């Protein structure tokens, strides 16, 4: 009974009997509730103060770290064009699929479907994610077609998203692979002009600040941190049409001669600009991984070769400049050889007495040696170095070789003699083309350039009169009696020089060869300089001499280039003579055909006069 009374008093029962005490208890309870509510409110206010004022910056950073992101704004790499504006390298928009491993690993049941649409094994996908489980970003598939990316995103798998990138595409394929090079998966230049001008072509990606939801989707663009600066376009000196001719003819020559490799370079004589440069073997820059690494090498600027008889015009020019010979100087080359230390310098035949022009026309090693003997070591060395032998052409192409031209203090007693006809030194095809272009440009040498209109002042390396004299001598090489009649072009005077150098091997020279032809056209006002090098041709096919394996490539390419550039003929007499001969042959053929038709129309038995037939 006492227990019940206590409860009644506590809950207000019996208030009438104990009115004074009950009011006191009610007041206590109200104070207790109000105190609790006040305390809670104070706590909430304190927490709000902590969140909004005291530690606001800290919590803002924490929130941003979970939703706010700075994303790169993809930019297009600058386009590369030829000198006429034809696209050679362009960038196409693609998508790259990425994932947040922390989010994706929370839904392991979705991995099989994701692996299937990505075209990869489920185990491979799981391993890639697990090894980066503590990261928030991993690429799953790079640079794919936007339609394929849309199919992947349509699965709506948590933590999987896409971002815009650009992929390089080369419309000309393997034709310009060595000149252009290629880019990496991150669109950075790796070789060729893509590497040389990477900063110019790349531009600067932009940055934007966005808010993402827990599925990686952008829900709001907050701010533009940095505006994107697209890459700059680059106009090359290359003429796509001439490049095509050079590539086609060189490939054909390599196949026909069974050669292992080859290079061809075409320069604009007046400016030094590279109009064409091609090599074989080549590769497809759109599928770099499918080709052997060795095929990526631009042999025209990286491979060092002994130039052989292409040196002889320069040797003669050095002699003319030094005044030790004239175009009419006679040289007795009998019996077809002369001593060269413990060896002999020999000619293919015994040419007997030759004048200076004959040395070039017949490509006499003995004659070139006799000219070099009249020059001092310093005269010979200084002259060749002026033409760029022994140093880089400074074309700006990555990996360009400087060549090898030893200084006089490293010469033996036979060095000058062997170098006079192209042995004992090493050059690149581009260096030969640069030196020949200087002869065609009246003794003015330009550094070769791959950029259209680049400021490229020349320097004088030879007197104009001497350069003209050497060109006239070189013209006889392509005329009857010369070593490169297959380089002759109807209607044009062609100056050139063949070269056939044996390839060095351990302790000497092997029976393997490099066939050269270097030439200029037209002689009266040279427009183009071209060098063709065919490496290791099969002697059982077309032979191995430069006049047989390389000169036809020069003729075919230059015929097309002269026509494309509308270069006026400088040998109209020969052209008219050929046209007249062709016309006479046609008329004769028509006359013979008419006579046959007339004889076929006469009856077998003639009528008898005065009688009946």
């Amino acid at each position: 009974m006492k227990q019940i009374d206590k409860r009644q008093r506590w809950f207000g029962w019996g208030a009438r009997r104990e009115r004074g005490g009950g009011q006191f208890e009610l007041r206590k309870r109200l104070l207790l509730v109000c105190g609790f509510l006040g305390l809670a409110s104070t706590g909430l206010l304190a927490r709000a103060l902590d969140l909004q004022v005291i530690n606001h910056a800290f919590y803002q950073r924490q929130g941003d770290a979970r939703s706010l992101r700075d994303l790169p704004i993809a930019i297009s790499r600058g386009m590369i064009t030829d000198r006429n504006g034809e696209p050679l390298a362009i960038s196409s928009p693609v998508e790259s699929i990425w994932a947040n491993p922390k989010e994706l690993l929370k839904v392991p049941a979705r991995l099989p479907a994701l692996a299937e649409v990505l075209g990869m094994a489920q185990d491979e996908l799981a391993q890639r994610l697990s090894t980066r489980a503590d990261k928030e970003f991993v690429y799953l598939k790079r640079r794919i077609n936007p339609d394929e990316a849309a199919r992947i995103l349509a699965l709506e798998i948590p933590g999987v998203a896409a971002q815009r990138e650009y992929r390089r595409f080369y419309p000309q394929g393997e034709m310009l692979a060595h000149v252009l090079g290629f880019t990496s998966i991150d669109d950075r230049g790796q070789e060729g002009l893509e590497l040389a001008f990477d900063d110019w072509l790349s531009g600067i990606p932009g940055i934007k600040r966005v808010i993402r939801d827990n599925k990686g989707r952008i829900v709001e663009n907050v701010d533009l941190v940095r505006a994107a600066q697209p890459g700059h376009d680059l106009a090359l000196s290359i003429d796509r049409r001439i490049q095509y001719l050079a590539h086609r003819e060189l490939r054909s020559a390599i196949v026909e001669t069974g050669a292992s490799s080859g290079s061809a370079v075409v320069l604009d004589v007046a400016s030094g600009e590279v109009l064409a440069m091609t090599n074989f073997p080549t590769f497809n820059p759109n599928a770099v991984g499918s080709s052997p690494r060795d095929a990526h090498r631009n042999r025209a600027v990286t491979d060092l070769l002994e130039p052989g008889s292409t040196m002889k015009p320069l040797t003669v020019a050095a002699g003319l400049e030094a005044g030790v010979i004239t175009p009419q100087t006679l040289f007795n080359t009998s019996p077809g050889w002369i001593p060269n230390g413990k060896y002999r310098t020999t000619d293919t035949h015994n040419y007997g007495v030759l004048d200076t022009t004959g040395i070039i026309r017949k490509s006499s090693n003995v004659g070139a040696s006799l000219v070099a003997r009249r020059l001092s070591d310093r005269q010979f060395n200084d002259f060749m170095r002026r033409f760029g032998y022994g140093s880089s052409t400074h074309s700006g192409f990555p990996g360009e070789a400087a060549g090898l031209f030893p200084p006089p203090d490293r010469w033996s007693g036979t060095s000058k003699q062997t170098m006079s006809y192209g042995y004992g030194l090493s050059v690149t095809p581009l260096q030969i083309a640069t030196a020949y272009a200087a002869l065609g440009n009246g003794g003015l040498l330009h550094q070769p350039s791959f950029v259209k209109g680049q400021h490229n002042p020349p320097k004088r390396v030879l007197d104009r009169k001497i350069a003209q004299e050497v060109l006239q001598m070189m013209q006889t090489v392509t005329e009857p009696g010369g070593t490169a009649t297959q380089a002759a072009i109807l209607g044009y005077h062609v100056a050139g020089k063949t070269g056939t150098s044996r390839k060095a091997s351990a302790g000497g020279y092997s029976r393997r060869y490099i066939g050269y032809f270097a030439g200029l056209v037209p002689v009266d006002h040279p427009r183009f300089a071209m060098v063709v090098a065919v490496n290791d041709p099969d002697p059982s096919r077309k032979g191995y001499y430069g006049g047989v394996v390389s000169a036809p490539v020069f003729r075919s390419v230059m015929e097309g280039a002269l026509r494309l550039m509308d270069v006026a003929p400088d040998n109209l007499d020969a052209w008219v003579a050929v046209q007249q001969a062709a016309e006479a042959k046609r008329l004769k053929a028509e006359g013979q055909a008419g006579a046959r038709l007339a004889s076929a129309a006469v009856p077998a038995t003639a009528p008898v006069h005065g009688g009946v037939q």
Side-chain angles (χ1 to χ4, degrees), residues 149-164:
R151 289 194 296 271
I152 297 173
L153 295 178
L155 297 177
E156 296 186 350
I157 299 175
V160 177
Q163 71 179 33
R164 172 61 56 87

Side-chain angles (χ1 to χ4, degrees), residues 182-388:
F182 53 88
T183 60
S184 68
I185 195 170
D186 294 315
D187 215 23
R188 302 294 300 191
Q190 296 298 292
E191 292 187 12
L193 298 182
E194 289 277 27
L195 174 59
F197 294 95
D198 187 55
D199 291 340
W200 176 263
L201 293 166
S202 295
I204 302 175
I207 298 176
K208 63 179 178 180
R209 187 160 294 154
V210 301
I211 295 177
R212 278 179 165 166
D213 62 15
N214 61 350
K215 293 184 178 180
R217 297 173 299 189
I218 297 175
V219 296
E220 182 181 352
N221 289 311
V222 177
D223 188 21
L224 178 63
V225 178
R226 184 178 68 206
Q229 299 180 27
H232 302 283
D233 292 344
L234 180 65
L236 301 184
S237 60
I238 295 290
D239 189 304
R240 181 184 59 85
R241 302 166 300 175
I242 300 176
Q243 178 73 21
Y244 169 76
L245 292 173
H247 179 74
R248 182 189 68 185
E249 297 303 323
L250 180 67
R251 173 186 284 274
S252 177
I254 297 298
V255 172
E256 290 177 6
T257 62
S260 62
S261 62
S263 300
V265 178
V266 181
L267 297 184
D268 184 286
V269 169
S271 65
E273 293 181 346
V274 180
L275 298 176
M277 178 179 286
T278 188
N279 302 275
F280 190 88
T282 184
F283 68 99
N284 183 358
N286 296 306
V288 177
S290 63
S291 58
R293 186 68 182 84
D294 184 62
H296 299 173
R297 193 168 74 248
N298 187 349
R299 301 170 187 269
V301 298
T302 63
D303 283 17
L304 293 176
L305 313 168
E306 289 183 302
S309 294
T310 61
M311 274 289 288
K312 290 170 184 172
L314 298 181
T315 299
V316 167
L320 293 172
E321 181 183 76
V324 297
I325 62 170
T326 69
Q328 295 76 34
T329 301
L330 298 178
F331 300 88
N332 185 4
T333 66
S334 295
W337 62 272
I338 58 173
N340 187 10
K342 62 180 181 179
Y343 302 103
R344 295 195 306 185
T345 294
T346 62
D347 283 337
T348 306
H349 305 286
N350 181 4
Y351 297 118
V353 177
L354 295 173
D355 62 8
T356 304
T357 300
I359 292 174
I360 294 179
R361 182 175 67 252
K362 295 297 184 182
S363 194
S364 171
N365 294 339
V366 174
S369 299
L370 294 174
V371 172
R373 285 182 175 183
R374 301 188 182 195
L375 293 166
S376 69
D377 289 355
R378 181 175 180 179
Q379 286 174 323
F380 187 78
N381 175 75
D382 291 352
F383 185 89
M384 297 307 167
R385 290 191 179 279
R386 261 189 282 145
F387 274 79

Side-chain angles (χ1 to χ4, degrees), residues 306 343 423 502-511:
E306 289 183 302
Y343 302 103
Y423 287 90
R502 292 172 63 176
K503 298 183 69 174
S505 63
Y509 288 88
S510 66
R511 291 291 178 181

